[in-house]
Amino acid sequence: MYRERASRLTGAVVWTNTPSPDGQGAVLPDGCMDLLWHDGRLLVAGPDTHAHPTTGPPTVWAGVRFAPGTAPALLGVPAHELRDRRVDLADLWPAAAVRRLTARVNAVEDPVRGLEELALRRAAETAPPDPLLGRLVAALDAGRPVSATADELGLGARQLHRRSLAAFGYGPKTLARILRLRRALDLARSGLPFAETAVRTGYADQPHMARDVKQLTGRALGDLLARG
């Protein structure tokens, strides 16, 4: 069972999840990165370009999902180095520091609260995210073309691509596809017919949406909705 709530860290979400015993769950691409707790360990989930299956025994996971583009500054590592990966936090930070942080999180009855406190402390110690990244996400999430967005931000195509790789793990065109996928799933889950969902989210037509959803998630849209 999956539960989430807004975090005290601006733009972030905290969540817990116990995967289904049948092992059929998956984490879909969403443009975000997560700080994870599982079985007493701290891990990081990098940005996904495809669905990441949830496997293993049905034990509790907890996480802080950072707003798109904000995690690399907090973690001190470019997003593209973690693309489609799950790594131990000790692979990114000094092992001794991670042991102390892990013990602190494990000492809290609710690991979500411990993770949130860790994220808040880290945010207080680092510079705030580049506001340009928020403007980029907002423009692409509104369906603005990548080229027009680059012009509006005063960036050349190469500079935009380079900054996107560091912040999001992939280029702006992939980010735009993933943000469009999120919008489409939200509308389809609200009950909007698939054809109208395709129009509202900027696909050429419903078959175009169906192909893109299948490419990014490995499943048909109807199957995703049926699984919740």
Side-chain angles (χ1 to χ4, degrees):
M1 180 179 295
Y2 177 83
R3 292 189 178 92
E4 70 173 41
R5 63 167 173 81
S7 171
R8 288 178 288 150
L9 180 64
T10 302
V13 169
V14 294
W15 56 267
T16 59
N17 185 42
T18 303
S20 170
D22 63 13
Q24 298 300 310
V27 178
L28 304 183
D30 59 6
C32 301
M33 295 172 60
D34 295 58
L35 176 64
L36 306 172
W37 174 93
H38 177 65
D39 198 22
R41 298 165 54 209
L42 296 180
L43 306 98
V44 173
D48 292 322
T49 58
H50 55 263
H52 181 87
T54 55
T55 58
T59 54
V60 176
W61 289 76
V64 178
R65 179 169 300 116
F66 300 102
T70 62
L74 298 177
L75 298 173
V77 61
H80 64 82
E81 293 187 9
L82 301 176
R83 182 173 55 234
D84 294 320
R85 298 176 63 199
R86 274 48 176 172
V87 301
D88 284 304
L89 185 60
D91 291 339
L92 309 179
W93 294 358
V98 173
R99 283 196 296 271
R100 290 193 299 271
L101 294 171
T102 301
R104 189 177 298 171
V105 173
N106 287 338
V108 180
E109 183 176 354
D110 180 5
V112 166
R113 186 161 60 88
L115 282 177
E116 187 173 30
E117 292 294 340
L118 192 165
L120 286 166
R121 284 194 299 271
R122 184 66 178 177
E125 297 167 353
T126 56
D130 184 348
L132 181 143
L133 299 175
R135 292 169 56 197
L136 172 60
V137 171
L140 296 180
D141 203 22
R144 296 285 294 157
V146 170
S147 58
T149 299
D151 291 341
E152 292 165 3
L153 297 177
L155 298 175
R158 289 185 180 179
Q159 187 180 11
L160 179 62
H161 188 79
R162 183 170 61 252
R163 294 179 73 163
S164 293
L165 283 178
F168 308 106
Y170 27 66
K173 290 185 178 179
T174 298
L175 175 62
R177 284 182 69 201
I178 288 172
L179 294 175
R180 183 173 59 182
L181 169 70
R182 294 200 318 183
R183 297 196 306 274
L185 290 174
D186 286 345
L187 287 176
R189 284 170 177 149
S190 75
L192 195 71
F194 288 178
E196 190 171 349
T197 293
V199 170
R200 289 198 188 183
T201 49
Y203 293 98
D205 49 30
Q206 185 176 336
H208 177 209
M209 179 178 69
R211 290 192 301 272
D212 207 51
V213 169
K214 187 67 177 291
Q215 288 172 3
L216 288 171
T217 71
R219 294 176 177 170
L221 180 55
D223 184 39
L224 290 173
L225 298 184
R227 293 179 182 273

